[in-house]
Amino acid sequence: MSAGAKGGDGPPRKGEIFTTGVFVRPSRILLVSAAAAEIARVERLLGLDNNSVDAVATPGAALASLKEQKPDLVLLGAALGNRIGFDFCRTLKQTPSLHYIPVVIILDGSAVGGQIDALDCGANDVVREPLDELVFRARIRALLKYKRAVAALRNARNTLEQDVHERIAQLQKEIAEHQRTEAALQESQERYALAAQGSHDGLWDWDLRTDKVFCSERWKSMLGYPEDAPLDSPEAWFAHISPLDLGPFKEALSAHLEGRTLAFSFECRMQHRDRTLRWVHVRGMAVRDKDGAALRIAGSQSDITSRKLMELQLRHDAFHDGLTGLPNRALFMDRLRQAIARMKRDPARAYAVLLLDIDKFKIVNDSLGHGVGDHLLIQFARRVREFGRATDTVARLGGDEFAVLLEDVEDLASATAAAERIHEALKTPLVVHGRQMYATTSIGVATGKPRYERADDVLRDADTALYQAKAAGRGKQRTFASGMHARVLSQMDLEHDLRDAIKTCEQFVLCYQPILALDSGRLVGFEALIRWHHPKRGLVSPLQFIPIAEETDVIGPLTQWVLRTATAQLKAWEAAAGRDLPVYVSVNLSGKTLGDAGLAGTVGEIVRASGVRPAQVSLEITEGSLMKDPEASLATLSCLKAMDIGLMVDDFGTGYSSLSYLHRLPLNILKIDRSFVADIPAVARNMEIVRTIALLADRLGLSLVAEGIETAAQRDWLRSIRCGLGQGHLFSRAVVAAAAYAFMADNLSLQ
Ligand code: C2E
Ligand code: MG
Ligand code: MG
């Protein structure tokens, strides 16, 4: 850079002058002369142009001075316009660090020639004495300007050289770096290729500049192609990717090529040459230029078909029931959620849920074993699935609970019609282990309403409806209606309270209804009837809570409590009377407990513990429960009979007794159901039935009790057909123990 330009960068520094628009440093001139006059004159002349002049006397002194500092020009005085001066000039011009300094030689005016010699020895200019002062100054100025230009040039060259050196150094560094990277890449590619070979992966390489694709032998064989198969374009490659996956595949590829992902990794289906689909995992990484633009992308491809199939199987298993192969609860709930969402978007797309529970499945399982139970579930599932449309989801939610999701149902009627069809389909027996079995199911229906937000809520309502359907008996269906939930909740509360109450039995009370001989009016016994004093609901009828007790398995302990209390009461009455009493207590036995293996033993123990004679105890079993499994009843009843405990068939006439069993069962008494008695004397047909029952009892050698006698006419007619015993409001309602004792004391004339 020139001194001028340098000077132009800022304000003038000390000593600088302003010339031709730029600040220039004063030039320093080394004058080699010993002549004082000459020195003075040169100083004056060149001082006019603001130059400074240093004078040294001899060339030797000049050389010494030149080592110290570099002048802008060397001027040899007239005394040196000879060989000495020329030699000095030549030395100076041959010295690399000095040769650029302009040298001017002043020639003595008297000397002849010398000009050529002076220029030959390298002098830049020659002036002769006597000096033309103006010309002399002009020449010196021109040389100084030349010197400055040369210096600027030298500076520029130096800077350039330095820049070039720096750039070269940098390039060398970059090349070395690049070489190292190349080597590392080469090495890793080799390693990768080896690994790929070892792991049976296929390799691919897509040169984006030429749009050529290279696929390795293994890559091709993975899809059933020979090594020379022409698979060398992206189109040929993509044509093998399943149309289901191609879109997302290309999207993921673009994302990586555009630098949005660090690596490309995608699992997709590809078509094998044999037209089957294979699952592959494609991985790749782009090679980019320095601006990040992708030049190539290369990677591997592994066959993951077996892993994928296993995953699909696992996923299938996670969402399907292992026994029936039906969707399980998780999948069902998912589909239901989708149906809810669909209906939210479009209220016309209604849906319905049918919740199914196989009636009495537990009995099948318990009595015939789990193998039969499982087979029944499979056949049941098949039958229910057959009835439905392809769009319906039939699922097993667990145990013997199934659900059907009906999509796009038109109205409630079509949902209930679907439930009807299921009942209908089950009328044909199922074949379980080669044996025909009839299965019925209770069905709760909930139809989708736009207000449903959660699948759980729909299922809860279907469950509520199912609960009601089951309460109505086998093979029934109920559709969820508002208010039903509250009823079921109340029922459930009752269930809960009953479980609590059974812990202490303090809320239960026994009432006693007298049973009398119809001809003499003499008391023969009492029927013990339970009452529940619910702390909040008041008196709860046994008709309401006994079925709950039976459902929830608290009936066993409850029956034991009744038996214990009734026998203890009888013992207490005898103590109060001071003698044995010729009466019995009759306790109702639920059909549910009849199958209990330990029943006879438990009853015997309670009776023994109470101290009453077994003959003073009678058990009432309804005709329906007795005839459900007469063989099992026979075993239990025989044990009880052997203990001398009386056995009564309750509500006789309402069930379907088999005469042969009636004959074989060790019974004492038949108790005519209240409904027949109530119709006396209005309904002649019922009176005929009662007459027949009376004859039957007589033939079987059984006593006959008529319950629900409310009028003297009923009593009289019953007496006329030789019905020996009776109970009913005509004589007494069921009353608490004290009142019962009072009735007895009066009837038996106790003291
Ligand atoms: P049930 O064994 O047939 O008892 C006779 C029912 O008829 C009793 O009703 C009794 O109060 C009622 N009754 C008797 N005479 C008349 C009458 O003249 N007119 C009318 N309208 N009713 C009469 P309750 O006490 O409400 O018992 C109902 C049922 O609850 C019983 O029918 C029995 O099946 C069951 N139950 C009661 N206590 C027990 C018990 O301790 N264990 C079991 N398992 N069931 C019981
Ligand atoms: Mg009874
Ligand atoms: Mg009865």
Side-chain angles (χ1 to χ4, degrees):
M1 188 171 283
S2 76
K6 205 181 213 169
D9 283 344
R13 275 176 251 151
K14 202 172 166 223
E16 283 183 348
I17 58 156
F18 192 71
T19 169
T20 59
V22 293
F23 290 98
V24 175
R25 182 172 57 80
S27 298
R28 288 196 323 271
I29 291 155
L30 181 67
L31 172 63
V32 189
S33 171
E38 189 178 44
I39 293 167
R41 186 166 61 134
V42 168
E43 275 179 348
R44 180 180 57 80
L45 284 176
L46 299 187
L48 290 173
D49 292 323
N50 202 34
N51 297 311
S52 67
V53 177
D54 291 326
V56 289
T58 61
L63 283 173
S65 164
L66 283 167
K67 274 186 197 153
E68 295 289 305
Q69 56 177 329
K70 310 278 181 286
D72 295 307
L73 189 139
V74 174
L75 186 59
L76 300 185
L80 290 169
N82 51 28
R83 186 162 309 280
I84 299 168
F86 298 160
D87 286 346
F88 169 74
C89 180
R90 194 171 288 112
T91 309
L92 201 141
K93 287 294 173 185
Q94 285 169 356
T95 306
S97 61
L98 301 173
H99 77 278
Y100 64 92
I101 301 172
V103 177
V104 178
I105 300 176
I106 302 173
L107 293 178
D108 189 351
S110 58
V112 183
Q115 209 160 351
I116 302 298
D117 293 335
L119 293 170
D120 276 351
C121 72
N124 297 75
D125 206 353
V126 183
V127 289
R128 189 179 289 278
E129 288 284 7
L131 294 176
D132 178 332
E133 292 185 350
L134 284 174
V135 171
F136 175 68
R137 279 173 57 205
R139 284 187 153 174
I140 294 296
R141 272 203 307 274
L143 275 173
L144 285 172
K145 204 170 162 192
Y146 160 77
K147 153 72 180 30
R148 272 198 296 275
V150 168
L153 213 60
R154 261 169 56 87
N155 268 343
R157 202 191 65 206
N158 284 346
T159 311
L160 191 69
E161 255 174 24
Q162 195 179 341
D163 282 354
V164 168
H165 279 307
E166 279 172 11
R167 184 76 191 113
I168 287 172
Q170 193 182 347
L171 276 175
Q172 280 169 340
K173 230 167 96 183
E174 280 175 14
I175 288 168
E177 184 65 27
H178 185 72
Q179 280 170 341
R180 263 200 306 282
T181 314
E182 276 276 279
L185 188 68
Q186 177 80 23
E187 199 182 331
S188 83
Q189 272 177 347
E190 278 165 12
R191 263 205 309 270
Y192 186 69
L194 276 173
Q197 257 175 349
S199 69
H200 296 288
D201 281 357
L203 295 176
W204 56 272
D205 187 349
W206 177 9
D207 190 328
L208 298 162
R209 291 161 299 192
T210 60
D211 215 21
K212 282 264 174 220
V213 172
F214 160 79
C215 296
S216 73
E217 188 186 340
R218 172 72 192 122
W219 192 101
K220 289 176 183 171
S221 75
M222 209 177 273
L223 297 179
Y225 290 97
E227 190 185 355
D228 55 357
L231 279 162
D232 55 2
S233 69
E235 291 73 28
W237 176 15
F238 296 159
H240 285 82
I241 296 172
S242 157
L244 292 169
D245 299 327
L246 188 57
F249 179 92
K250 284 184 170 173
E251 225 164 80
L253 195 60
S254 302
H256 178 61
L257 291 176
E258 287 161 19
R260 284 182 279 130
T261 53
L262 285 174
F264 170 68
S265 173
F266 199 85
E267 292 183 359
C268 61
R269 282 155 284 193
M270 291 191 85
Q271 195 172 48
H272 192 272
R273 200 179 181 188
D274 65 12
R275 309 203 75 73
T276 59
L277 284 179
R278 300 292 158 99
W279 275 97
V280 295
H281 186 175
V282 187
R283 296 180 186 85
M285 194 166 278
V287 177
R288 301 173 189 280
D289 66 11
K290 64 178 182 352
D291 299 323
L295 303 172
R296 273 174 49 193
I297 174 163
S300 67
Q301 175 168 301
S302 356
D303 189 328
I304 54 165
T305 309
S306 48
R307 166 173 64 85
K308 211 71 191 176
L309 290 180
M310 202 143 60
E311 267 177 27
L312 290 174
Q313 184 64 44
L314 283 175
R315 196 167 311 158
H316 178 274
D317 292 352
F319 288 105
H320 289 81
D321 168 46
L323 182 68
T324 61
L326 292 180
N328 64 8
R329 179 181 286 269
L331 183 53
F332 182 82
M333 295 305 264
D334 190 55
R335 300 241 172 109
L336 183 53
R337 274 190 284 273
Q338 289 174 23
I340 292 170
R342 244 193 322 273
M343 190 170 181
K344 279 226 162 286
R345 286 196 301 272
D346 178 5
R349 303 198 60 187
Y351 61 92
V353 168
L354 311 185
L355 204 59
L356 283 65
D357 193 292
I358 303 178
D359 296 320
K360 316 287 175 201
F361 177 73
K362 194 170 176 298
I363 295 175
V364 175
N365 233 7
D366 291 349
S367 54
L368 302 176
H370 290 267
V372 175
D374 283 356
H375 210 233
L376 175 66
L377 288 173
I378 294 169
Q379 296 303 325
F380 180 88
R382 193 169 292 166
R383 186 65 59 81
V384 174
R385 199 171 37 194
E386 274 165 12
F387 105 96
R389 300 170 302 174
T391 50
D392 299 336
T393 302
V394 179
R396 181 178 175 218
L397 303 190
D400 61 333
E401 198 178 49
F402 293 79
V404 184
L405 174 64
L406 306 169
E407 304 209 31
D408 294 321
V409 289
E410 276 158 26
D411 48 19
L412 174 62
S414 47
T416 49
E420 283 298 345
R421 281 205 305 282
I422 296 178
H423 288 311
E424 203 54 44
L426 291 170
K427 284 196 173 146
T428 314
L430 304 172
V431 180
V432 178
H433 283 326
R435 183 158 129 185
Q436 290 203 336
M437 280 178 91
Y438 285 93
T440 59
T441 177
S442 302
I443 304 178
V445 183
T447 47
K449 295 182 190 69
R451 67 172 172 78
Y452 278 130
E453 295 284 346
R454 298 171 339 123
D456 281 338
D457 295 342
V458 186
L459 215 59
R460 182 205 59 208
D461 286 354
D463 201 28
T464 301
L466 176 63
Y467 192 93
Q468 295 284 27
K470 281 165 83 167
R474 289 159 156 251
K476 295 286 189 302
Q477 71 190 59
R478 288 290 180 271
T479 303
F480 177 78
S482 53
M484 193 181 258
H485 192 58
R487 276 202 302 283
V488 168
L489 275 187
S490 146
Q491 191 86 345
M492 284 177 169
D493 280 351
L494 208 60
E495 246 179 70
H496 175 262
D497 294 346
L498 186 61
R499 282 183 198 279
D500 253 10
I502 203 77
K503 289 178 193 154
T504 59
C505 290
E506 279 167 1
Q507 292 168 12
F508 300 115
V509 176
L510 273 194
C511 284
Y512 301 88
Q513 187 177 36
I515 302 169
L516 302 112
L518 289 183
D519 51 2
S520 63
R522 201 180 153 80
L523 179 75
V524 295
F526 288 100
E527 177 174 8
L529 293 159
I530 193 170
R531 306 287 178 258
W532 180 13
H533 282 287
H534 189 280
K536 288 203 194 107
R537 297 174 189 240
L539 203 65
V540 182
S541 159
L543 293 172
Q544 206 180 340
F545 71 85
I546 292 290
I548 299 176
E550 289 177 339
E551 281 297 314
T552 52
D553 293 337
V554 298
I555 190 67
L558 194 68
T559 306
Q560 290 174 28
W561 178 82
V562 172
L563 187 61
R564 232 185 334 262
T565 310
T567 48
Q569 188 61 65
L570 183 54
K571 196 73 199 158
W573 284 334
E574 287 188 338
R579 63 177 172 95
D580 286 353
L581 294 171
V583 292
Y584 58 83
V585 279
S586 179
V587 167
N588 291 283
L589 197 68
S590 160
K592 287 271 156 136
T593 55
L594 209 54
D596 292 355
L599 176 75
T602 311
V603 170
E605 222 155 88
I606 293 172
V607 173
R608 219 178 355 268
S610 72
V612 300
R613 284 168 284 120
Q616 283 181 290
V617 178
S618 175
L619 297 175
E620 298 189 15
I621 307 145
T622 61
E623 186 187 15
S625 51
L626 200 58
M627 290 302 156
K628 203 168 282 166
D629 187 356
E631 283 298 335
S633 305
L634 182 61
T636 308
L637 297 191
S638 303
C639 286
L640 291 166
K641 178 77 179 177
M643 292 178 215
D644 209 16
I645 286 172
L647 297 169
M648 209 182 278
V649 184
D650 203 354
D651 302 344
F652 194 79
T654 55
Y656 303 93
S657 284
S658 141
L659 283 180
S660 72
Y661 274 113
L662 213 50
H663 180 67
R664 283 169 61 199
L665 291 172
L667 303 164
N668 303 89
I669 301 175
L670 292 188
K671 201 182 225 189
I672 305 172
D673 189 65
R674 187 151 56 87
S675 58
F676 297 103
V677 177
D679 289 339
I680 298 168
V683 184
R685 187 169 167 272
N686 280 355
M687 289 166 75
E688 274 316 300
I689 294 175
V690 176
R691 201 192 298 274
T692 314
I693 294 173
L695 274 174
L696 182 72
D698 190 46
R699 291 284 153 80
L700 292 173
L702 304 173
S703 302
L704 191 61
V705 183
E707 66 180 2
I709 302 173
E710 292 183 352
T711 65
Q714 289 167 347
R715 178 201 57 198
D716 295 343
W717 185 80
L718 287 162
R719 202 161 41 191
S720 74
I721 61 156
R722 298 180 60 200
C723 171
L725 304 167
Q727 68 183 97
H729 292 174
L730 176 66
F731 314 110
S732 168
R733 290 177 178 261
V735 290
V736 292
Y741 185 75
F743 183 97
M744 178 165 57
D746 181 46
N747 187 280
L748 299 182
S749 308
L750 301 177
Q751 296 307 311

